[in-house]
């Protein structure tokens, strides 16, 4: 269990380098502590010297999956994917990131 900005979350895994976290019901939600949560997840999953992930998929307290976009290693907004599973959310997120402007591209 990890804590950031009053939120509690669990790192559930990764799909193609995109971390998946679960909101574990802290004082505030992962959504409301997005900037702090993104920074904490990046610290956890990024190997030294590697680029941060482009997004983080999260399961909210209602069990729905959405995503947080990352630019230059910082929270850059939400991507509403309304997934019912991590794989569905990843597929919808991949479509959204593919449509995004080139400036979102982070080489791996």
């Amino acid at each position: 269990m990890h804590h950031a900005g009053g939120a509690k979350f669990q790192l559930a895994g990764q799909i193609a380098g995109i971390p998946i976290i679960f909101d574990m019901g802290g004082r505030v939600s992962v959504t409301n502590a997005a900037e702090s949560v993104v920074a904490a997840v990046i610290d956890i999953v990024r190997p030294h010297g590697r680029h941060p992930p482009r997004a983080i998929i999260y399961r909210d307290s209602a069990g729905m999956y959405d995503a947080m976009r990352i630019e230059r290693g910082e929270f850059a907004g939400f991507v509403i994917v309304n997934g019912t599973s991590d794989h569905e959310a990843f597929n919808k997120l991949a479509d959204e990131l593919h449509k995004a402007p080139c400036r979102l591209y982070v080489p791996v």
Side-chain angles (χ1 to χ4, degrees):
M1 182 100 50
H2 303 279
H3 302 264
K8 286 187 208 174
F9 65 93
Q10 176 181 349
L11 180 63
Q14 295 187 46
I15 299 176
I18 302 292
I20 300 164
I21 63 171
F22 294 164
D23 188 329
M24 302 304 286
R27 278 191 347 262
V28 300
S29 68
V30 163
T31 305
N32 289 333
E35 290 180 359
S36 297
V37 169
V38 165
V41 171
I42 288 172
D43 285 345
I44 295 165
V45 302
R46 181 173 70 169
H48 181 69
R50 296 289 306 209
H51 293 286
R54 294 178 59 195
I56 296 168
I57 294 172
Y58 68 97
R59 185 183 71 187
D60 66 20
S61 55
M64 293 301 294
Y65 289 80
D66 283 309
M68 296 177 277
R69 198 164 32 94
I70 300 170
E71 288 183 27
R72 297 177 197 90
E74 296 181 353
F75 171 72
F78 294 95
V79 180
I80 307 303
V81 294
N82 290 319
T84 56
S85 71
D86 53 2
H87 283 68
E88 179 186 16
F90 175 78
N91 289 331
K92 290 180 176 182
L93 173 64
D95 287 344
E96 289 301 315
L97 291 177
H98 182 69
K99 295 177 196 173
C102 292
R103 66 185 174 84
L104 295 179
Y105 176 73
V106 177
V108 203

